[in-house]
Amino acid sequence: MSESAGVTDHPAEPAGARPAAEAPTLDAQALAQLSGALRLVSDDVQASVDRFSDPHMMAAGKVNIVSVEAVQQRFGTRWSLRKDQVFAFTERVLQRGVATSGVFLRVSDTDFFIIQPELGRLAGQAACLRYLREVLNHFLGESHMAAAGVMQVTRMTKGRMEAQPVDARQMEAVESGAVAAEEAEAAEAAAMLPAQEGDLETSPGGLNPWTPFVSGDGRHIRVSATLEPVYELKGFTRIGFRMIRRVIVIATGEELTAQQVAALSSVDILRTDLATITRGIDRLKVEAEGEQQLSLIVPLSFSSLSTQRGRTELMAPLKEAGTLVKLGVVCEIHDIEGVPPGALLAATSLVRPFSLLVVGRLAGPSLATMERLRGAGLQALSLECPPGLGDAEFLGWASTTIAAARKVAKSVLIYRAGSPKRAGALASFGATHASLAAA
């Protein structure tokens, strides 16, 4: 059954009924739902949808809905038995077409929310038409009703989206190749009076294209970044913040461990790195409150730095982060366990021109692991204090670990020391920097 409401007559008001003055508003809302202009959003995805309520993106026609309502109606009573199959196939189609350059998310029992920031309005809508045709052909054996299932989102409010039908003839002409999308959009823009002010394509504060995304194994994943103060231990002065990434499976709320993140595909790891930096930059702009920090520690994966594509895509956000701090960014390379020293040296050499310092992050440090990092070009090592250590255990761990780390790098950063007293102990063993959050 479609997520819409019918229109009813308004008899004499019983006690407790809405005032008659509200009837026109209620009628308008019901008509909007009946016509398809008002699309409902499931509560469990509302937070994800809210992140993309950018009026510039909507005005540019980059936010659309693809509805499988035609399949739902044709299946009738069989819908409840077949809908998971329909959803899975539709997601595979969208993963193939959208996931590398945009975002998609199922928002209701029939609707998929799609943003393709790199495509213009007509090109994006023509692509949506193509995706929906593939779905309809697969399940119904025909696709003549596909154009009615593509809508442009014009406004988002809590729990709902306002959408309007797209120009079916224009969209089909672009999809068939009869008209080039760029030419059609240029002609359309030229005909608009008065001309639009500003360039919607490059509007600041728009979509972050890196999160959420669909991983190679089909999971919808979002990335967030928080900031934690880091201190230089000699004078106990704050040098800035480190970015802490969180990678979460949207459907379950599960936060992936460092090992699980490292097990993602190289493409997904790069997306995670890019999302972490861009979200961290946004957070820095808010939390710094106009005060320029000395530095910013940015996490990067060795997997991303080891490819030309990864290095190319990471340079722009790294440079942007560098403009926000006084001394420059500290590049912290993750997932280095088991990497040959020569390969790690090549990666550190490539990022050093853009970095104040190049740090190797160790997830589970051991003496043998650190010994293999000699000659890898790392200027510092960073590691996290194990949780739950008593004072004696902490002192034993710190003295052994820091002594081994100092044989490899001049600087040693220990995160989540837990207290200024423990930070002082770390300094006495030779650590140079620490954060104080509890382990």
PDB file of all heavy atoms in Angstrom, residues 356-372:
ATOM      1  N   LEU A 356      53.574  18.890   8.627  1.00  0.00           N
ATOM      2  CA  LEU A 356      54.477  19.361   9.653  1.00  0.00           C
ATOM      3  C   LEU A 356      55.268  18.181  10.224  1.00  0.00           C
ATOM      4  O   LEU A 356      56.448  18.300  10.551  1.00  0.00           O
ATOM      5  CB  LEU A 356      53.671  20.041  10.764  1.00  0.00           C
ATOM      6  CG  LEU A 356      54.432  20.522  11.990  1.00  0.00           C
ATOM      7  CD1 LEU A 356      55.405  21.639  11.603  1.00  0.00           C
ATOM      8  CD2 LEU A 356      53.466  20.993  13.065  1.00  0.00           C
ATOM      9  N   LEU A 357      54.615  17.034  10.303  1.00  0.00           N
ATOM     10  CA  LEU A 357      55.207  15.830  10.880  1.00  0.00           C
ATOM     11  C   LEU A 357      54.483  14.624  10.283  1.00  0.00           C
ATOM     12  O   LEU A 357      53.289  14.678  10.003  1.00  0.00           O
ATOM     13  CB  LEU A 357      55.004  15.848  12.404  1.00  0.00           C
ATOM     14  CG  LEU A 357      55.922  15.004  13.292  1.00  0.00           C
ATOM     15  CD1 LEU A 357      57.348  15.539  13.246  1.00  0.00           C
ATOM     16  CD2 LEU A 357      55.410  15.030  14.737  1.00  0.00           C
ATOM     17  N   VAL A 358      55.213  13.536  10.072  1.00  0.00           N
ATOM     18  CA  VAL A 358      54.609  12.285   9.603  1.00  0.00           C
ATOM     19  C   VAL A 358      54.709  11.266  10.728  1.00  0.00           C
ATOM     20  O   VAL A 358      55.808  10.939  11.187  1.00  0.00           O
ATOM     21  CB  VAL A 358      55.295  11.753   8.326  1.00  0.00           C
ATOM     22  CG1 VAL A 358      54.631  10.444   7.890  1.00  0.00           C
ATOM     23  CG2 VAL A 358      55.213  12.779   7.213  1.00  0.00           C
ATOM     24  N   VAL A 359      53.560  10.768  11.174  1.00  0.00           N
ATOM     25  CA  VAL A 359      53.465   9.883  12.324  1.00  0.00           C
ATOM     26  C   VAL A 359      52.982   8.518  11.867  1.00  0.00           C
ATOM     27  O   VAL A 359      52.091   8.411  11.021  1.00  0.00           O
ATOM     28  CB  VAL A 359      52.482  10.458  13.370  1.00  0.00           C
ATOM     29  CG1 VAL A 359      52.361   9.528  14.574  1.00  0.00           C
ATOM     30  CG2 VAL A 359      52.906  11.848  13.799  1.00  0.00           C
ATOM     31  N   GLY A 360      53.524   7.469  12.441  1.00  0.00           N
ATOM     32  CA  GLY A 360      53.026   6.116  12.219  1.00  0.00           C
ATOM     33  C   GLY A 360      52.144   5.705  13.375  1.00  0.00           C
ATOM     34  O   GLY A 360      52.578   5.743  14.532  1.00  0.00           O
ATOM     35  N   ARG A 361      50.897   5.326  13.095  1.00  0.00           N
ATOM     36  CA  ARG A 361      49.973   4.927  14.162  1.00  0.00           C
ATOM     37  C   ARG A 361      49.994   3.410  14.323  1.00  0.00           C
ATOM     38  O   ARG A 361      49.795   2.667  13.353  1.00  0.00           O
ATOM     39  CB  ARG A 361      48.553   5.384  13.821  1.00  0.00           C
ATOM     40  CG  ARG A 361      47.484   4.905  14.812  1.00  0.00           C
ATOM     41  CD  ARG A 361      47.733   5.506  16.191  1.00  0.00           C
ATOM     42  NE  ARG A 361      46.795   4.965  17.162  1.00  0.00           N
ATOM     43  CZ  ARG A 361      45.587   5.457  17.395  1.00  0.00           C
ATOM     44  NH1 ARG A 361      45.150   6.484  16.678  1.00  0.00           N
ATOM     45  NH2 ARG A 361      44.814   4.931  18.309  1.00  0.00           N
ATOM     46  N   LEU A 362      50.223   2.955  15.545  1.00  0.00           N
ATOM     47  CA  LEU A 362      50.271   1.527  15.831  1.00  0.00           C
ATOM     48  C   LEU A 362      49.014   1.125  16.597  1.00  0.00           C
ATOM     49  O   LEU A 362      48.719   1.680  17.667  1.00  0.00           O
ATOM     50  CB  LEU A 362      51.514   1.192  16.653  1.00  0.00           C
ATOM     51  CG  LEU A 362      52.851   1.419  15.923  1.00  0.00           C
ATOM     52  CD1 LEU A 362      54.017   1.233  16.887  1.00  0.00           C
ATOM     53  CD2 LEU A 362      52.980   0.465  14.751  1.00  0.00           C
ATOM     54  N   ALA A 363      48.269   0.164  16.039  1.00  0.00           N
ATOM     55  CA  ALA A 363      47.032  -0.276  16.688  1.00  0.00           C
ATOM     56  C   ALA A 363      47.325  -1.193  17.869  1.00  0.00           C
ATOM     57  O   ALA A 363      46.743  -1.057  18.938  1.00  0.00           O
ATOM     58  CB  ALA A 363      46.139  -0.981  15.669  1.00  0.00           C
ATOM     59  N   GLY A 364      48.219  -2.149  17.671  1.00  0.00           N
ATOM     60  CA  GLY A 364      48.578  -3.073  18.747  1.00  0.00           C
ATOM     61  C   GLY A 364      50.077  -3.191  18.817  1.00  0.00           C
ATOM     62  O   GLY A 364      50.661  -4.149  18.301  1.00  0.00           O
ATOM     63  N   PRO A 365      50.773  -2.231  19.409  1.00  0.00           N
ATOM     64  CA  PRO A 365      52.236  -2.184  19.328  1.00  0.00           C
ATOM     65  C   PRO A 365      52.900  -3.361  20.034  1.00  0.00           C
ATOM     66  O   PRO A 365      52.487  -3.779  21.104  1.00  0.00           O
ATOM     67  CB  PRO A 365      52.583  -0.859  20.025  1.00  0.00           C
ATOM     68  CG  PRO A 365      51.427  -0.604  20.934  1.00  0.00           C
ATOM     69  CD  PRO A 365      50.227  -1.137  20.231  1.00  0.00           C
ATOM     70  N   SER A 366      53.916  -3.885  19.392  1.00  0.00           N
ATOM     71  CA  SER A 366      54.774  -4.902  20.011  1.00  0.00           C
ATOM     72  C   SER A 366      56.206  -4.519  19.688  1.00  0.00           C
ATOM     73  O   SER A 366      56.466  -3.735  18.759  1.00  0.00           O
ATOM     74  CB  SER A 366      54.457  -6.292  19.453  1.00  0.00           C
ATOM     75  OG  SER A 366      54.823  -6.369  18.085  1.00  0.00           O
ATOM     76  N   LEU A 367      57.127  -5.062  20.438  1.00  0.00           N
ATOM     77  CA  LEU A 367      58.528  -4.731  20.217  1.00  0.00           C
ATOM     78  C   LEU A 367      58.961  -5.128  18.810  1.00  0.00           C
ATOM     79  O   LEU A 367      59.706  -4.393  18.144  1.00  0.00           O
ATOM     80  CB  LEU A 367      59.391  -5.428  21.266  1.00  0.00           C
ATOM     81  CG  LEU A 367      59.100  -5.063  22.736  1.00  0.00           C
ATOM     82  CD1 LEU A 367      60.081  -5.779  23.654  1.00  0.00           C
ATOM     83  CD2 LEU A 367      59.167  -3.554  22.941  1.00  0.00           C
ATOM     84  N   ALA A 368      58.495  -6.287  18.345  1.00  0.00           N
ATOM     85  CA  ALA A 368      58.880  -6.748  17.013  1.00  0.00           C
ATOM     86  C   ALA A 368      58.301  -5.839  15.933  1.00  0.00           C
ATOM     87  O   ALA A 368      58.972  -5.514  14.939  1.00  0.00           O
ATOM     88  CB  ALA A 368      58.397  -8.182  16.804  1.00  0.00           C
ATOM     89  N   THR A 369      57.058  -5.405  16.134  1.00  0.00           N
ATOM     90  CA  THR A 369      56.428  -4.509  15.162  1.00  0.00           C
ATOM     91  C   THR A 369      57.204  -3.203  15.045  1.00  0.00           C
ATOM     92  O   THR A 369      57.487  -2.722  13.949  1.00  0.00           O
ATOM     93  CB  THR A 369      54.974  -4.203  15.576  1.00  0.00           C
ATOM     94  OG1 THR A 369      54.240  -5.427  15.618  1.00  0.00           O
ATOM     95  CG2 THR A 369      54.315  -3.261  14.598  1.00  0.00           C
ATOM     96  N   MET A 370      57.560  -2.629  16.182  1.00  0.00           N
ATOM     97  CA  MET A 370      58.264  -1.352  16.156  1.00  0.00           C
ATOM     98  C   MET A 370      59.670  -1.499  15.586  1.00  0.00           C
ATOM     99  O   MET A 370      60.159  -0.614  14.876  1.00  0.00           O
ATOM    100  CB  MET A 370      58.297  -0.747  17.558  1.00  0.00           C
ATOM    101  CG  MET A 370      56.943  -0.179  17.970  1.00  0.00           C
ATOM    102  SD  MET A 370      56.983   0.765  19.502  1.00  0.00           S
ATOM    103  CE  MET A 370      56.775  -0.537  20.695  1.00  0.00           C
ATOM    104  N   GLU A 371      60.306  -2.599  15.843  1.00  0.00           N
ATOM    105  CA  GLU A 371      61.651  -2.821  15.319  1.00  0.00           C
ATOM    106  C   GLU A 371      61.643  -2.815  13.794  1.00  0.00           C
ATOM    107  O   GLU A 371      62.570  -2.302  13.158  1.00  0.00           O
ATOM    108  CB  GLU A 371      62.206  -4.145  15.857  1.00  0.00           C
ATOM    109  CG  GLU A 371      63.617  -4.473  15.406  1.00  0.00           C
ATOM    110  CD  GLU A 371      64.652  -3.481  15.918  1.00  0.00           C
ATOM    111  OE1 GLU A 371      64.424  -2.881  17.002  1.00  0.00           O
ATOM    112  OE2 GLU A 371      65.688  -3.308  15.247  1.00  0.00           O
ATOM    113  N   ARG A 372      60.571  -3.366  13.193  1.00  0.00           N
ATOM    114  CA  ARG A 372      60.488  -3.416  11.726  1.00  0.00           C
ATOM    115  C   ARG A 372      60.258  -2.047  11.104  1.00  0.00           C
ATOM    116  O   ARG A 372      60.383  -1.888   9.888  1.00  0.00           O
ATOM    117  CB  ARG A 372      59.365  -4.370  11.301  1.00  0.00           C
ATOM    118  CG  ARG A 372      59.722  -5.842  11.467  1.00  0.00           C
ATOM    119  CD  ARG A 372      58.762  -6.728  10.674  1.00  0.00           C
ATOM    120  NE  ARG A 372      57.403  -6.643  11.185  1.00  0.00           N
ATOM    121  CZ  ARG A 372      56.917  -7.435  12.138  1.00  0.00           C
ATOM    122  NH1 ARG A 372      57.692  -8.360  12.698  1.00  0.00           N
ATOM    123  NH2 ARG A 372      55.675  -7.313  12.538  1.00  0.00           N
TER     124      ARG A 372
END
